[in-house]
Amino acid sequence: MGETIRWGVLGASKFARELMGPAIHTAPGHALAALATRSPQKAAPFAAMAPGLQVYDGYAALLEDAAIDAVYIPLPHHLHIEWALKALEAGKHVLVEKPVALRADQIAPLIAARDRTGLQCAEAYMMVHHPQWQRLRALLAEGAIGRLRHVEGVFTYDNSADPGNIRNQAEMGGGALPDIGVYTYGATRWATGAEPEAVTHADIDWEDGCDVLARVAARFPGFTAHWVNSMRLLPEQLMLFHGEAGLIRLTAPFNPRVFGEARLELRDRSGVTRIETWPGADHYRLQVEAFGAAIRGAAAFPWTLEDARGTQAVIDMAYAAAGGRPPA
């Protein structure tokens, strides 16, 4: 591999076009070099952004390109494991969109392939790269709010007017929990360093085999958590960490700059609320840079496949507590 890490993207998704493609293109030491899509129309914006982009009409053809060092996979959820495994076998480092899999036990073969090949393979869980989350984690660790007793998480949006969206297709791994439950659940785990002992309540509304509104509660060692995730409610984002001596609120925890300002509010018994903001932070670009550092051996990537498996295990627990997923 040369000094510049050359990336290929499997699939011309809107997310790749608007967020991860530009992040790869602008990150120092990285280059958006190839795209796999059969649609010239979908390839055009990528080619305009990255002149010289090599466009392949199939995923396998891109993986055969020896000049590509790393692959980003934003395919529909049910294809993630298959193509991540193929990319590793082709000798590529792999950054695969969340959720890596649709069940926790599906991730084991990918972990084994990562370990066997010695290549980097991780879930694109961008929020852990944002300084607001790193600051929150540090504050919790130093006891800024005293003993943590409860976490409240909300992430909702409404795509009811788009029935063809893959998030509304059960056979493609659709549903609110695979799409955005990974954030409220994983954020709680990552920020606290704790794992749930049990899911104590799960009330889920279903449409055509997809969970569209999930209200889930869990018990962790020393604290409780309650999460609301929906694809049928007015858009909202909030994470609240409530302790005996204070509380911390993140008002745009998952996609700041799109939903709102990256803002951390810390209030303690003095009644004073301290506010920190990060208006210029781009967690997608920070994620690319962190992945590059891991490839080069300069730093460990902060979100592993094991971390992703832990969050998927909580989603599996929520589905089980609600009586299981209905047939697609």
Side-chain angles (χ1 to χ4, degrees):
M1 184 180 68
E3 185 175 331
T4 297
I5 297 172
R6 293 172 56 82
W7 286 79
V9 177
L10 300 188
S13 71
K14 180 176 183 288
F15 189 83
R17 182 180 72 246
E18 295 183 353
L19 296 170
M20 278 299 292
I24 292 169
H25 180 62
T26 58
H30 297 262
L32 180 58
L35 171 72
T37 178
R38 291 188 176 91
S39 171
Q41 183 178 1
K42 290 183 177 180
F46 289 87
M49 173 174 52
L53 182 78
Q54 177 70 52
V55 179
Y56 292 97
D57 65 1
Y59 306 146
L62 186 150
L63 296 182
E64 292 171 0
D65 187 342
I68 298 302
D69 305 305
V71 171
Y72 168 63
I73 303 177
L75 296 171
H77 300 162
H78 68 301
L79 298 176
H80 287 176
I81 289 288
E82 174 188 355
W83 285 99
L85 284 170
K86 289 179 178 179
L88 285 174
E89 295 302 332
K92 314 301 183 188
H93 301 283
V94 180
L95 186 63
V96 58
E97 263 306 324
K98 53 79 190 166
V100 169
L102 300 178
R103 298 192 317 273
D105 60 8
Q106 294 175 334
I107 302 176
L110 197 58
I111 292 174
R114 176 204 64 191
D115 294 346
R116 176 172 49 80
T117 61
L119 295 163
Q120 291 294 323
C121 182
E123 184 179 59
Y125 198 63
M126 77 293 184
M127 49 151 286
V128 301
H129 306 281
H130 199 290
Q132 71 170 336
W133 278 99
Q134 294 165 359
R135 176 65 170 149
L136 167 70
R137 194 183 197 194
L139 287 168
L140 292 177
E142 69 186 41
I145 61 172
R147 182 185 176 196
L148 176 67
R149 298 307 306 273
H150 184 68
V151 177
E152 195 76 19
V154 176
F155 193 175
T156 63
Y157 63 90
D158 184 3
N159 69 358
S160 57
D162 187 12
N165 191 295
I166 62 172
R167 295 163 184 82
N168 289 316
Q169 306 297 317
E171 66 276 10
M172 293 187 179
L177 294 187
D179 188 44
I180 53 178
V182 292
Y183 291 125
T184 50
Y185 296 12
T188 303
R189 295 178 53 252
W190 190 79
T192 64
E195 300 292 345
E197 297 172 328
V199 167
T200 56
H201 175 78
D203 183 8
I204 299 179
D205 294 354
W206 303 89
E207 291 181 15
D208 299 321
C210 288
D211 53 295
V212 297
L213 172 56
R215 318 152 192 87
V216 175
R219 182 177 64 250
F220 287 73
F223 68 93
T224 55
H226 179 251
W227 307 295
V228 176
N229 296 103
S230 180
M231 306 190 299
R232 297 294 184 268
L233 295 180
L234 186 77
E236 174 64 320
Q237 295 184 26
L238 172 69
M239 288 296 296
L240 176 68
F241 295 80
H242 206 150
E244 292 179 342
L247 60 84
I248 298 173
R249 185 192 314 267
L250 301 182
T251 57
F254 305 118
N255 57 350
R257 301 197 309 168
V258 175
F259 183 78
E261 180 181 50
R263 179 183 176 100
L264 182 151
E265 301 173 355
L266 169 61
R267 177 160 55 90
D268 58 23
R269 294 187 185 279
S270 71
V272 175
T273 299
R274 290 179 282 161
I275 298 172
E276 299 180 45
T277 62
W278 297 266
D282 180 350
H283 47 322
Y284 297 106
R285 179 170 163 174
L286 291 170
Q287 176 175 249
V288 173
E289 293 174 354
F291 197 68
I295 289 174
R296 296 183 175 101
F301 198 65
W303 184 258
T304 66
L305 290 177
E306 287 82 358
D307 291 320
R309 181 172 59 185
T311 295
Q312 186 60 50
V314 184
I315 293 175
D316 294 349
M317 291 166 64
Y319 283 146
R325 296 191 67 155

